[in-house]
Amino acid sequence: MTLFSKLQPARKLKFIWPGLDALAILAWGALLLRYWLNGQLKLLIHPNYFGLVLITSIILFLLGSLKGWLWFKQLRKQSIDSETVQHITLFPPGWGSSLLVITAIAGLFIPPTVFSSQVALQRGISESLPVTQIQAEAFRGTVKPEDRTLIEWIRTLNAYPEPDAYNGQKAKVTGFVVHSPILPKNYIFLSRFILTCCAVDAYPVGLPVKLEGDQKDYPPDIWLEVEAEMITETLAVDTQTMQKTPTQKRQLVLDAKSVKTIPTPADPYGYAQ
Amino acid sequence: MNQLHNAFTLFLSLLVEAFPFLLLGVLLSSALLLFIDERKLILTLPKNPFLAALAGSLIGFLFPVCECGNVPVARRFLMQGLPTSAAIGFLLAAPTINPIVVWSTWVAFRDQPEIVVFRVLFSLTIAITIGCIFSVQKDPTHLLQPFLAQRVSMLLSQPKWPRSSSKHSNQDVPVLLQSGTFLLNKSGTPLRLEGMADATATLPSIGSREFYRRLNIFIENVVNELRELGGMLILGSAIAASLQVFVPREIVLNLGQGTISSIMAMMLLAGVVSICSTVDSFFALSFASTFTTSSLLAFLVFGPMIDIKSVGLMLSIFRPRMIVYLFALAAQLTFILTLCHSYFF
């Protein structure tokens, strides 16, 4: 600090800001590359944009290195003669770059989380599913029912919502547990999130599972692999909107034959096409 | 703690999705700023107020700049004699009517392509309308900041688009014999005011020796914009993520499902949040499940035109009174158009 106070801090800082800019750009390049390498990108955005993130990180590395090189040259000349196109700044010097650096470092140290049942409930597991987002883009009647994932079941059900049509079919699906007060005690929702663009628009879909025991045996958020038979039940809940309905309604329900606890999968989300 | 972690994940998700688009916008705008000759562009613009406003609005396709970048560009345009209607059209529409913004809006709302169409349509309508309204004011100097006003009135008093021709003929005449407004620089040499305006705008012509200089300017500009817009994006994303996680759902739903309340709320949010237009569609996306489509449109149309940050920037061009007019007109038109949208669609 004494060095700074002796040598006109303002003037010294002027030399430091461009270095901070370069650091901010390099840090963001590193963060994006890290997400791309370790697969955490799929917790954040739709796979369609993975390539875009990789290209961005490469450009940021190039840009940061160039800026760093220019800064180094400037430091050796000890002059601030860089000319710019007329530019209006919004932040005090150093603020913008500091924000970028801090965020990138926080991102490097704190990994993104997998959304839990809490988010599912808050995000509107009780809210109507946007119908446009679950278009049955390929209705594959040839797929064996037990090969369908939970999301494929939801799509199929959206395309043809008559529960009786699936009666007796076998199912083997994975998802996380959501407890809902509108379901009877021996029921849970088996749920998964679907991403259209990024985690911001992740929305939960799910089906009710009828258990042999109590829902207490399966605490919220644990992941289950459920082998079940499709049955039709009458419940006072709309599985399409996951809201309590005034009258009992026929529903497609997974009648669990075997329930296995599994670790959280590496790709916990489904993606809209 | 868990909630905080969720909010942080949402925050990162917004940033990671938005960063490529922000970088692309910044790279393109910096490149075009260096390689497009603005003066030639202005000379080719039509004189009719309506057509000028339309052309001004569409220049955004050549200058893909968001609202922070377009104010300095509009300022240079005005200094070089762009008609006020075209300048206002550019100022209001360019942040939305440009390829990067259209693309990022489409990425965010792939399943609702009508949002992309209406965003462009409404922005264009509002920009042209306001551009035409201000073209009625024949003497724009009352609206501009004194320095700009002086410069523009000088251009108006000259015969007709004289810059390119008069500049050359004046070079042989001694400075003292030339007409016009002059300032003294530090060394005491007279500087022609018009020349000064050009000096802020023109960049050195392309030559092989110039390459490194140009590269330097290009990198400086990219880094500056990335820093400013990136900082803004971080603040905006933090607000969006916290609103999504910490505000009780009932409050958001009550506000977001009313036809008028949702539009008003989103316009207010757009004005406060000041997020860059290349990435504001991702911000809007976080409200897609709780707010009406019309209110999302209101956010996407109004935000790029007027917000706290752009008002600050516009003060470098317009007098405060003019900014109040612009704000009132843009807000009313956005409200009316999006209200119509909510009734008809």
Side-chain angles (χ1 to χ4, degrees):
Chain A
M1 280 315 287
T2 47
L3 184 76
F4 278 100
S5 45
K6 271 182 193 166
L7 292 168
Q8 291 173 311
R11 188 165 170 75
K12 258 292 165 210
L13 283 176
K14 269 189 192 169
F15 285 110
I16 288 172
W17 299 141
L20 196 63
D21 290 343
L23 182 69
I25 292 167
L26 288 173
W28 265 94
L31 180 67
L32 294 184
L33 188 68
R34 194 185 124 111
Y35 281 146
W36 192 81
L37 286 174
N38 69 7
Q40 282 175 343
L41 213 48
K42 57 175 165 260
L43 298 183
L44 298 173
I45 62 171
H46 192 286
N48 280 1
Y49 310 113
F50 284 8
L52 215 56
V53 171
L54 179 66
I55 296 169
T56 306
S57 106
I58 294 170
I59 297 177
L60 286 177
F61 272 119
L62 282 176
L63 193 67
S65 315
L66 269 171
K67 175 72 191 169
W69 177 63
L70 290 173
W71 177 55
F72 184 66
K73 270 180 44 177
Q74 208 182 63
L75 270 187
R76 286 180 54 174
K77 275 202 280 174
Q78 285 286 305
S79 65
I80 314 164
D81 57 353
S82 65
E83 55 182 323
T84 59
V85 179
Q86 180 192 26
H87 192 86
I88 297 169
T89 55
L90 307 156
F91 290 109
W95 276 61
S97 302
S98 307
L99 270 179
L100 283 167
V101 171
I102 293 166
T103 316
I105 291 174
L108 284 168
F109 283 101
I110 308 170
T113 177
V114 178
F115 288 144
S116 60
S117 61
Q118 196 186 6
V119 180
L121 287 168
Q122 191 204 16
R123 270 258 169 122
I125 201 160
S126 63
E127 189 230 345
S128 70
L129 292 175
V131 182
T132 48
Q133 295 190 348
I134 311 186
Q135 287 150 346
E137 70 291 331
F139 190 75
R140 293 180 293 172
T142 51
V143 173
K144 280 200 288 183
E146 55 265 44
D147 290 343
R148 282 184 198 136
T149 64
L150 184 62
I151 290 162
E152 279 167 345
W153 270 107
I154 301 283
R155 288 206 180 106
T156 313
L157 198 60
N158 268 266
Y160 189 70
E162 169 53 54
D164 282 344
Y166 312 99
N167 230 332
Q169 290 190 356
K170 285 191 166 40
K172 187 181 174 187
V173 290
T174 54
F176 64 92
V177 177
V178 179
H179 286 184
S180 171
I182 58 173
L183 284 173
K185 284 284 172 220
N186 59 334
Y187 280 84
I188 52 167
F189 271 121
L190 197 67
S191 180
R192 285 191 90 139
F193 279 101
I194 295 183
L195 262 64
T196 314
C197 167
C198 49
V200 166
D201 71 353
Y203 57 96
V205 293
L207 283 175
V209 179
K210 190 180 180 184
L211 302 164
E212 301 208 330
D214 191 84
Q215 61 173 221
K216 284 202 183 79
D217 302 339
Y218 303 103
D221 292 337
I222 59 164
W223 280 75
L224 299 178
E225 187 183 83
V226 177
E227 283 184 56
E229 192 180 311
M230 288 301 186
I231 54 166
T232 311
E233 290 276 289
T234 44
L235 295 171
V237 54
D238 184 350
T239 48
Q240 296 272 306
T241 62
M242 299 205 182
Q243 267 174 343
K244 209 177 173 82
T245 48
T247 53
Q248 300 257 317
K249 204 180 143 192
R250 284 184 312 122
Q251 305 286 352
L252 188 65
V253 169
L254 291 156
D255 187 16
K257 300 293 176 214
S258 96
V259 180
K260 206 165 60 179
T261 309
I262 54 167
T264 305
D267 49 346
Y269 300 146
Y271 302 98
Q273 259 74 30
Chain B
M1 198 56 211
N2 206 351
Q3 286 288 71
L4 204 61
H5 202 177
N6 287 335
F8 183 70
T9 305
L10 285 180
F11 169 67
L12 278 179
S13 148
L14 269 173
L15 288 175
V16 170
E17 181 76 61
F19 224 91
F21 292 94
L22 188 70
L23 182 68
L24 194 62
V26 167
L27 286 177
L28 262 177
S29 80
S30 301
L32 291 171
L33 221 55
L34 287 178
F35 297 115
I36 282 191
D37 190 338
E38 293 163 6
R39 276 171 299 170
K40 276 189 194 150
L41 189 73
I42 290 171
L43 284 177
T44 57
L45 287 183
K47 305 288 177 290
N48 173 295
F50 175 79
L51 291 177
L54 180 67
S57 309
L58 295 177
I59 295 178
F61 255 96
L62 294 175
F63 285 82
V65 284
C66 63
E67 66 267 34
C68 332
N70 80 333
V71 172
V73 176
R75 190 163 184 247
R76 286 204 301 274
F77 277 166
L78 275 169
M79 282 181 152
Q80 289 164 22
L82 188 75
T84 325
S85 61
I88 289 174
F90 174 77
L91 204 57
L92 296 180
T96 314
I97 316 289
N98 79 56
I100 312 282
V101 173
V102 171
W103 185 27
S104 70
T105 313
W106 188 80
V107 164
F109 293 98
R110 265 186 312 161
D111 45 355
Q112 291 165 279
E114 71 271 15
I115 286 198
V116 185
V117 177
F118 281 117
R119 182 179 194 186
V120 170
L121 215 62
F122 286 175
S123 301
L124 210 55
T125 312
I126 295 173
I128 294 175
T129 312
I130 298 183
C132 288
I133 290 174
F134 282 105
S135 70
V136 175
Q137 173 85 7
K138 286 288 172 247
D139 180 13
T141 52
H142 298 300
L143 308 170
L144 303 171
Q145 288 287 358
F147 175 79
L148 256 177
Q150 212 176 348
R151 160 82 184 152
V152 171
S153 62
M154 193 168 59
L155 282 174
L156 284 177
S157 63
Q158 284 173 3
K160 213 171 197 307
W161 306 95
R163 286 173 310 286
S164 45
S165 53
S166 68
K167 230 171 110 184
H168 295 294
S169 57
N170 274 352
Q171 279 177 356
D172 309 328
V173 185
V175 177
L176 286 175
L177 297 181
Q178 288 176 25
S179 64
T181 315
F182 290 85
L183 296 171
L184 282 182
N185 72 2
K186 273 183 194 161
S187 57
T189 336
L191 284 176
R192 200 184 168 86
L193 200 54
E194 299 147 60
M196 272 179 64
D198 288 347
T200 61
T202 47
L203 290 155
S205 58
I206 301 175
S208 57
R209 279 188 190 176
E210 286 292 319
F211 178 76
Y212 286 105
R213 221 166 82 89
R214 279 186 168 243
L215 183 74
N216 202 345
I217 297 175
F218 175 75
I219 298 222
E220 280 299 320
N221 199 55
V222 169
V223 171
N224 279 343
E225 288 198 357
L226 209 55
R227 180 181 57 218
E228 300 293 329
L229 305 185
M232 232 21 159
L233 175 66
I234 287 175
L235 293 181
S237 303
I239 293 174
S242 339
L243 283 179
Q244 214 187 37
V245 173
F246 299 116
V247 176
R249 194 170 174 76
E250 294 74 42
I251 296 180
V252 179
L253 276 177
N254 278 341
L255 200 63
Q257 294 304 311
T259 312
I260 291 177
S261 68
S262 64
I263 293 178
M264 297 295 273
M266 281 314 252
M267 278 172 64
L268 183 69
L269 199 64
V272 174
V273 169
S274 304
I275 200 165
C276 178
S277 65
T278 42
V279 291
D280 63 355
S281 42
F282 301 115
F283 183 98
L285 190 61
S286 63
F287 295 91
S289 62
T290 42
F291 274 71
T292 60
T293 309
S294 307
S295 68
L296 297 182
L297 262 175
F299 178 88
L300 294 174
V301 171
F302 187 62
M305 294 184 181
I306 311 276
D307 54 39
I308 290 179
K309 170 193 62 185
S310 63
V311 166
L313 294 176
M314 278 185 199
L315 277 171
S316 68
I317 301 184
F318 297 120
R319 287 174 200 257
R321 193 175 44 159
M322 168 73 178
I323 294 176
V324 172
Y325 293 155
L326 273 179
F327 173 81
L329 283 170
Q332 286 170 3
L333 285 169
T334 310
F335 185 75
I336 291 167
L337 285 173
T338 49
L339 202 60
C340 289
H341 172 271
S342 72
Y343 277 110
F344 290 113
F345 297 96

